[in-house]
Amino acid sequence: MKKVVLIFSLLIINSLVFSQESKYRIDGKSYSKQIYDENNNRITNFQNWELIQDFYISPDNKKMLVYHRPDKAKAFLMTLYDLKTNEIIAECEPGWACQDVKWTKDYLIKVWRTSGGGTRFEYRSYKNLSIVRVVTSYYPFEDVEDNVLINPDSVMRKIEFYNYSDGKEIKTIDCVKELADKKIYAGWIQIRKVRKVGKRKYEFDIEGGLNIEGKEGEKFQSVIKIEL
């Protein structure tokens, strides 16, 4: 009985995923690719040989962002569509590759990996796709459920907390001070792991070297607990 329930559940999940993915599609002749909806209505009106790299649909199915490049163009474009009217809301040259898109009430978040290995969250206006705010982190921790984006910065020895929805800073923690309050005097630190342990509650595994006379460089391990 359990196997039957499991198989039935998987079929439901797969059908939901398939239906979501198949609602919009890239179709057409090799030289004239366009994006269509499930009713075969054409949304885009690209010129021949347009490269459609990827497209992203908002959770409410009201907007679509297309990452594409016109034939022989040097730069990619990002074009935002209104799916009710199939009209273009805004268009811009993003500058770098688009790895992912997040949708919030007030901002479209373009996510991409920097050449130095970090992740950049660009908060863009829905009106014209202009950048309103930027959060960059080498090892971001995304807690969408509780609207928190965390930048654990070992180099600067701090932990930055932002609203995930708009990129505004909530709080910055000085790790050296937090450790000193526990009588651990750090010369350098490494934030090894971030854990969510409750609603807007987090633990950070820290290791580093001591800055104490006679113990310079001696390694230590500790945990910093933060509640927002």
Side-chain angles (χ1 to χ4, degrees):
M1 183 64 182
K2 289 182 178 179
K3 289 184 178 179
V4 173
V5 172
L6 177 60
I7 292 172
F8 183 69
S9 300
L10 289 173
L11 286 173
I12 293 175
I13 293 170
N14 286 336
S15 64
L16 288 172
V17 171
F18 179 77
S19 62
Q20 184 178 10
E21 289 178 347
S22 62
K23 187 169 184 178
Y24 299 93
R25 71 187 192 280
I26 300 173
D27 207 345
K29 297 180 180 179
S30 60
Y31 61 85
S32 182
K33 295 293 185 182
Q34 306 291 339
I35 297 177
Y36 297 83
D37 66 14
E38 60 186 346
N39 296 317
N40 210 36
N41 296 314
R42 191 172 76 175
I43 299 171
T44 58
N45 189 28
F46 294 137
Q47 298 296 315
N48 287 348
W49 303 111
E50 188 95 9
L51 172 61
I52 305 174
Q53 184 73 25
D54 214 338
F55 65 91
Y56 308 86
I57 308 297
S58 64
D60 59 8
N61 286 311
K62 292 182 178 180
K63 297 182 181 69
M64 176 178 70
L65 185 78
V66 185
Y67 186 65
H68 60 104
R69 188 181 67 194
D71 183 36
K72 298 180 181 178
K74 294 182 179 179
F76 275 83
L77 298 175
M78 286 199 314
T79 305
L80 183 64
Y81 289 84
D82 183 331
L83 290 177
K84 287 186 175 181
T85 63
N86 290 350
E87 294 180 351
I88 293 175
I89 300 172
E91 187 172 80
C92 72
E93 289 186 12
W96 293 93
C98 184
Q99 302 292 331
D100 197 5
V101 170
K102 313 289 186 180
W103 308 84
T104 70
K105 178 179 177 295
D106 298 312
Y107 297 101
L108 179 151
I109 310 173
K110 179 200 168 194
V111 184
W112 55 279
R113 308 290 186 265
T114 68
S115 57
T119 301
R120 180 178 168 100
F121 298 80
E122 292 180 351
Y123 289 79
R124 291 177 175 261
S125 165
Y126 283 122
K127 292 181 179 180
N128 54 19
L129 291 178
S130 62
I131 298 175
V132 177
R133 197 168 290 112
V134 174
V135 176
T136 303
S137 176
Y138 280 101
Y139 303 103
F141 185 87
E142 301 175 49
D143 182 5
V144 180
E145 180 184 10
D146 285 335
N147 191 31
V148 178
L149 176 60
I150 303 175
N151 172 30
D153 192 336
S154 297
V155 176
M156 299 304 294
R157 303 187 295 183
K158 64 183 180 180
I159 303 169
E160 298 171 333
F161 297 85
Y162 301 87
N163 287 327
Y164 194 93
S165 59
D166 58 20
K168 291 182 179 178
E169 187 172 342
I170 304 171
K171 189 176 189 177
T172 296
I173 300 298
D174 184 332
C175 294
V176 173
K177 183 180 182 303
E178 291 288 322
L179 292 168
D181 290 344
K182 301 168 67 173
K183 308 301 181 185
I184 300 173
Y185 303 100
W188 61 270
I189 69 162
Q190 184 70 45
I191 303 171
R192 288 297 184 187
K193 191 173 183 180
V194 184
R195 291 186 300 277
K196 180 178 178 178
V197 295
K199 186 174 179 60
R200 296 170 74 88
K201 296 180 181 179
Y202 310 93
E203 290 183 351
F204 301 83
D205 290 345
I206 310 291
E207 70 175 34
L210 294 174
N211 186 24
I212 301 174
E213 187 175 354
K215 294 185 178 181
E216 290 87 353
E218 184 176 317
K219 289 187 177 181
F220 71 87
Q221 293 183 341
S222 186
V223 175
I224 292 178
K225 299 180 180 180
I226 302 295
E227 180 177 356
L228 299 178

